[in-house]
Amino acid sequence: MPKVIRNRRVEDDARQIVRLAEGETAETVAIPAGPVLVPLAVWQARAEELAARGDVGVWLEAAEGAELIAADLPKLAAVAVNFPAFTDGRGYSTAALLRTRYGYSGELRAIGDVLRDQFQAYVRCGFDTLQPNAGRYTDAQLEAALASLGDFSVPYQGAVDEPRPLWARAQRGVAA
Amino acid sequence: MYRYDDYDQRLVDERVAQFRDQTRRYLAGELSEDEFRPLRLQNGLYVQRHAPMLRIAVPYGLFSSAQLRTLADIARRYDRGYGHFTTRQNIQFNWPELAKVPEILAQLATVQMHAIQTSGNCIRNITSDAFAGVAADELIDPRPWCEILRQWSSFHPEFAHLPRKFKFAVNGAKEDRAVIQAHDIGLDVVKNDAGEIGFRVLVGGGLGRTPIIGEEIAAFVPWQHIVTYCESILRVYNLHGRRDNKYKARIKILVKALGIEEFRRQVEAEWAFHKNGPSTLTEAEVARVAAHFVDPAYESLPATDAGYASLLEENKPFAAWVKRNVRAHKVPGYASVTISLKKTGVPPGDITESQMELVADLADAYSYGGVRATHQQNLVLADVRQSDLFKVWQSLRDAGLATPNIGLLTDIISCPGGDYCALANAKSIPIANAIQERFDNLDYLYDIGEIELNISGCMNACGHHHVGHIGVLGVDKNGEEWYQVTIGGDQGNKAAIGKVIGPSFAAAEMPDVVTHLIETYIANRHEDERFVDTVRRIGIEPFKAHVYGNRQTEKKVAHA
Ligand code: HEM
Ligand code: SF4
């Protein structure tokens, strides 16, 4: 079973990620039983059928903005944002918008090229679940990577996890 | 200047630990080359021609004697005894060893310095006026605002992987000395009619392969909202900036594609949503930061020091230096000294470790321990008493740091070019040196007057060639190094992109080309008219005619 980091712990996770293979269409692709994440196009084509299952989540591609799924958030078991490359930073803003503007409070997962060096940034932008590509990290490396969640103990600016900037939450020094 | 509290220090220390571990994992093969690259870039570490190049942040150009001494020590221990000041008011070292970089960062952290976000596709070191806080024409001190934005942008989780690099500049004076119109975001700190402080915000300027002058997106953003406003701009850019083509990924391309109206609409829509959020600044926070930038304990001095006045009369070389390298100060009896890093034959912006130590000593003795880096690649001692200027000059002169050429033709901005940079099409430093040699006669140099000559070794424009009154750009033609010339570029309040005068030149022709441009100017100028103003008035044709006319005759002569 794949491992994910959820709320700062390494856990087994059964949710399958459905990706459209060559030749498959959103209308006809087979969706396995059990918890899944389906591409936005699949959801859009079959929202009614999938919503009825109660265990379906949607994953967004980096170019697919939060607004495309905003209205459906209450029907989703999870939302994920794909990072095609860890250098594609759109997903951070998408997560921030889902959490703040659209008030999403369910599971928000970063998938794809999810690198440990960015773990803290993902969490600060509102992701609670991190799922690096299969095979990227050994189990031991993933455990070790938890340390990256604490790379910076007192970030300067507000973000989703702590909206107040440092100056608003701590007594800061004044010039000598 | 800004002094770290425990929080600032902890962040920098944690960054050292993080980068140490990243370097370890890279060297152990746990991080691939592709994965490590963006991580090291965010720490100012390039891989260049000879070795990694490390770019160290000098936030808005402000640093201290102790910090400069540490840079000297790093130059000596980890480099080849010199450093290179850049147009972003940073310093670069060209020869460190990758494995030693964590050590260098740890040493920097002991003096409140770092290399955070000095490169990579993130918000870069914020630049400002090198004379902030002391300039006679200053309206509002930009430094507290630079520091507030520095803290907001450092390790901003949402903007760590933007489509492309992102550069801020902040100005608070009448004359813009921060080139805000050539930045992704340019901020002018202003007062409105009611006397309230706010920001005029420009967006979408930048040089590089598509040079664009920034446009005004907001005439006045009240200071409380400047962080949320910038955040809104960044969010729109992060989501909608192009990522398919790195040459079209800068915010200037997005602003052009949408038009400033539509871009503004999108930013305002974003801003409306979180304008009054927790990042809205308070008076207490601004006052806390501003307290780091209060004036030193200036003495009350006569407006003109008698001894200084008579030395000016008696000593011609000193007077020449004062005329070019010393600026009026807002406080009577004080002056700001620009230390020229543009001695003929020295790569523009280069400084040796012993020179750094000398400057640090002078800063301690005569300028409250403060030093500044200018975007013209010089240094500044901002707060020198008139009565000390002569001693300062003598020390600088003995160290080869008193070339009296600030603002003149030999005060050339130049990128490192082909001698160091892996992206270069052509060398820059030897061209700068050849032009400096040609114009070594001070009287002639003074007669030419104020002029900016900027050189870049490729179209990335690190040497700001587009905004030079004369711009020189290295180009590659069938594997050979050639130089394209623009004139009429300008920075400051009337920023403009220069126009190309015609086909490019071989390196050996460059001193002649510049000579012909200057001859044309001298033949056509009105009294007290600067080179760039003559170009504005008469256009580029007369310059072109003289440069290429002469060029053909010379060729014919050569072939005869
Ligand atoms: C030696 C290593 C360097 C490398 C590899 C490098 C690389 C680049 C690249 C690729 C760009 C174009 C970016 C774009 O338009 O998107 C650029 C722009 C720039 N660089 Fe450098 N650079 C180097 C050194 C320097 C130095 C030494 C300076 C200052 C003297 C400098 C200052 C600038 C400036 C001012 C720009 C233009 C900014 C703009 O377009 O808004 N760089 N550099
Ligand atoms: S302009 Fe080109 S040659 Fe010069 S430093 Fe920049 S990238 Fe290198």
Side-chain angles (χ1 to χ4, degrees):
Chain A
M1 206 182 287
K3 297 225 186 285
V4 300
I5 291 179
R6 179 177 290 115
N7 296 323
R8 302 173 180 267
R9 294 217 322 263
V10 178
E11 289 181 2
D12 291 321
D13 181 82
R15 188 173 290 281
Q16 295 183 58
I17 302 173
V18 176
R19 297 179 190 263
L20 286 187
E22 188 109 23
E24 281 177 338
T25 69
E27 287 73 16
T28 59
V29 65
I31 311 293
V36 286
L37 284 164
V38 302
L40 177 66
V42 171
W43 172 263
Q44 286 173 333
R46 295 150 63 175
E48 221 166 299
E49 163 204 341
L50 295 175
R53 285 177 44 166
D55 59 358
V56 174
V58 165
W59 65 267
L60 300 173
E61 194 40 278
E64 293 168 342
E67 68 284 357
L68 298 178
I69 198 67
D72 291 345
L73 291 172
K75 299 181 202 151
L76 297 176
V79 176
V81 180
N82 187 47
F83 288 79
F86 82 96
T87 49
D88 186 330
R90 284 176 284 190
Y92 299 115
S93 288
T94 302
L97 285 172
L98 285 168
R99 286 291 192 220
T100 58
R101 180 175 302 192
Y102 302 114
Y104 179 65
S105 58
E107 179 185 300
L108 184 54
R109 182 183 299 214
I111 61 172
D113 194 17
V114 169
L115 202 62
R116 75 170 269 186
D117 302 277
Q118 302 306 125
F119 278 3
Q120 189 170 26
Y122 297 124
V123 170
R124 295 203 62 216
C125 289
F127 290 106
D128 52 17
T129 306
L130 312 176
Q131 182 170 16
N133 275 327
R136 176 60 189 86
Y137 294 110
T138 63
D139 289 358
Q141 283 173 335
L142 206 56
E143 286 290 344
L146 286 176
S148 293
L149 289 164
D151 274 351
F152 299 110
S153 54
V154 281
Y156 278 129
Q157 61 294 101
V160 173
D161 63 335
E162 167 50 271
R164 291 170 305 165
L166 179 58
W167 57 261
R169 77 188 117 94
Q171 182 70 40
R172 297 208 59 191
V174 185
Chain B
M1 58 178 269
Y2 184 75
R3 287 182 201 285
Y4 285 7
D5 68 3
D6 293 346
Y7 292 105
D8 303 292
Q9 188 65 47
R10 201 187 309 172
L11 266 171
V12 168
D13 292 342
E14 285 168 347
R15 174 53 167 171
V16 174
Q18 184 193 43
F19 192 72
R20 199 187 285 284
D21 188 54
Q22 288 170 342
T23 308
R24 180 193 63 74
R25 281 185 281 130
Y26 167 67
L27 294 173
E30 282 176 46
L31 268 171
S32 71
E33 190 71 48
D34 282 349
E35 288 172 343
F36 187 53
R37 185 183 314 109
L39 302 178
R40 67 168 160 74
L41 283 177
Q42 299 220 341
N43 219 25
L45 193 59
Y46 284 81
V47 173
Q48 282 305 309
R49 234 159 246 270
H50 307 294
M53 177 208 90
L54 181 64
R55 183 181 290 155
I56 295 163
V58 181
Y60 35 98
L62 225 58
F63 56 134
S64 70
S65 55
Q67 293 177 329
L68 189 52
R69 279 195 195 93
T70 300
L71 294 171
D73 192 53
I74 289 169
R76 197 161 41 228
R77 290 170 49 183
Y78 299 100
D79 208 273
R80 298 195 174 176
Y82 61 94
H84 178 79
F85 279 99
T86 80
T87 44
R88 290 205 62 72
Q89 299 174 296
N90 290 324
I91 184 167
Q92 295 183 178
F93 288 108
N94 287 303
W95 309 89
E97 229 179 284
L98 172 65
K100 298 271 173 65
V101 170
E103 267 173 60
I104 301 177
L105 296 178
Q107 188 178 352
L108 287 170
T110 64
V111 290
Q112 312 191 343
M113 290 190 101
H114 58 74
I116 295 160
Q117 289 171 207
T118 51
S119 185
N121 295 334
C122 50
I123 300 172
R124 302 286 192 91
N125 186 34
I126 291 164
T127 57
S128 189
D129 181 1
F131 299 96
V134 298
D137 70 335
E138 184 163 282
L139 305 168
I140 296 155
D141 189 345
R143 294 172 300 174
W145 304 105
C146 290
E147 178 58 27
I148 284 168
L149 290 170
R150 180 191 78 82
Q151 297 195 11
W152 161 72
S153 61
S154 294
F155 306 120
H156 198 301
E158 196 178 330
F159 308 128
H161 292 288
L162 294 167
R164 203 70 178 86
K165 58 159 83 173
F166 202 93
K167 298 179 172 182
F168 275 75
V170 188
N171 172 54
K174 264 193 211 143
E175 183 198 339
D176 168 23
R177 285 176 290 267
V179 214
I180 61 170
Q181 295 183 69
H183 279 78
D184 296 289
I185 289 184
L187 299 174
D188 230 338
V189 203
V190 293
K191 272 195 184 137
N192 66 9
D193 293 340
E196 294 152 344
I197 290 181
F199 295 83
R200 185 168 85 98
V201 183
L202 308 181
V203 71
L207 302 175
R209 92 175 43 208
T210 315
I212 294 180
I213 296 294
E215 294 183 81
E216 184 179 289
I217 176 167
F220 189 83
V221 173
W223 61 266
Q224 293 90 335
H225 302 298
I226 193 58
V227 166
T228 54
Y229 193 81
C230 290
E231 207 151 52
S232 305
I233 294 178
L234 264 303
R235 187 172 282 170
V236 170
Y237 169 58
N238 190 32
L239 285 168
H240 302 296
R242 286 184 63 168
R243 290 177 187 264
D244 57 328
N245 178 339
K246 74 170 183 170
Y247 302 118
K248 297 191 170 163
R250 300 280 299 269
I251 194 173
K252 61 194 173 187
I253 305 291
L254 179 65
V255 173
K256 276 283 171 242
L258 294 174
I260 187 71
E261 302 294 328
E262 171 59 17
F263 184 75
R264 179 184 298 118
R265 192 195 62 71
Q266 293 192 14
V267 169
E268 301 264 332
E270 191 58 46
W271 191 39
F273 159 72
H274 68 152
K275 178 176 174 180
N276 290 306
S279 300
T280 310
L281 290 167
T282 61
E283 242 165 72
E285 171 60 4
V286 176
R288 186 187 70 81
V289 177
H292 291 264
F293 300 98
V294 293
D295 285 346
Y298 294 121
E299 296 163 41
S300 45
L301 300 170
T304 312
D305 179 80
Y308 165 63
S310 63
L311 279 164
L312 276 182
E313 293 279 317
E314 290 158 22
N315 192 317
K316 252 190 93 182
F318 175 58
W321 176 77
V322 167
K323 185 156 189 274
R324 290 316 320 176
N325 298 35
V326 173
R327 277 176 60 95
H329 195 283
K330 66 174 185 184
V331 178
Y334 283 84
S336 298
V337 167
T338 303
I339 298 170
S340 173
L341 303 184
K342 308 299 176 63
K343 190 180 147 124
T344 297
V346 174
D350 270 20
I351 181 168
T352 67
E353 33 103 357
S354 53
Q355 288 174 328
M356 289 188 226
E357 281 176 346
L358 173 87
V359 172
D361 291 346
L362 292 177
D364 279 340
Y366 303 113
S367 199
Y368 302 96
V371 188
R372 287 129 184 262
T374 77
H375 85 263
Q376 284 94 347
Q377 307 179 282
N378 292 312
L379 295 178
V380 165
L381 298 175
D383 302 292
V384 182
R385 286 186 302 204
Q386 284 178 3
S387 55
D388 291 331
L389 285 170
F390 191 73
K391 281 177 281 184
V392 169
W393 172 67
Q394 284 179 315
S395 304
L396 289 174
R397 191 194 46 186
D398 294 346
L401 292 170
T403 312
N405 64 348
I406 298 307
L408 300 178
L409 185 54
T410 55
D411 183 11
I412 295 171
I413 292 180
S414 169
C415 81
D419 291 299
Y420 294 98
C421 176
L423 305 178
N425 287 326
K427 292 196 169 66
S428 307
I429 295 166
I431 302 300
N433 290 158
I435 294 168
Q436 285 172 329
E437 258 164 50
R438 170 68 59 90
F439 292 88
D440 212 20
N441 178 325
L442 271 184
D443 290 330
Y444 187 39
L445 208 55
Y446 290 158
D447 182 47
I448 297 165
E450 271 182 43
I451 185 164
E452 284 161 12
L453 193 154
N454 299 354
I455 309 177
S456 304
C458 77
M459 64 172 104
N460 287 324
C462 301
H464 283 188
H465 67 275
H466 298 110
V467 291
H469 301 171
I470 299 176
V472 177
L473 165 65
V475 290
D476 172 275
K477 280 205 268 180
N478 309 319
E480 282 180 59
E481 301 192 354
W482 289 78
Y483 298 87
Q484 189 184 67
V485 173
T486 52
I487 60 172
D490 202 2
Q491 54 180 22
N493 302 44
K494 289 201 270 178
I497 305 295
K499 293 197 179 75
V500 178
I501 61 168
S504 47
F505 305 93
E509 294 177 281
M510 285 312 299
D512 285 340
V513 170
V514 176
T515 304
H516 295 145
L517 291 172
I518 298 302
E519 285 167 358
T520 313
Y521 157 62
I522 288 180
N524 288 280
R525 70 177 164 189
H526 289 167
E527 210 180 329
D528 289 335
E529 192 177 47
R530 295 180 310 159
F531 175 89
V532 65
D533 296 318
T534 306
V535 177
R536 281 207 176 101
R537 181 169 54 77
I538 67 176
I540 71 170
E541 288 308 323
F543 292 88
K544 222 166 141 168
H546 188 47
V547 169
Y548 290 97
N550 276 309
R551 192 192 192 203
Q552 267 149 20
T553 13
E554 276 156 21
K555 281 237 169 95
K556 271 184 214 135
V557 173
H559 287 284

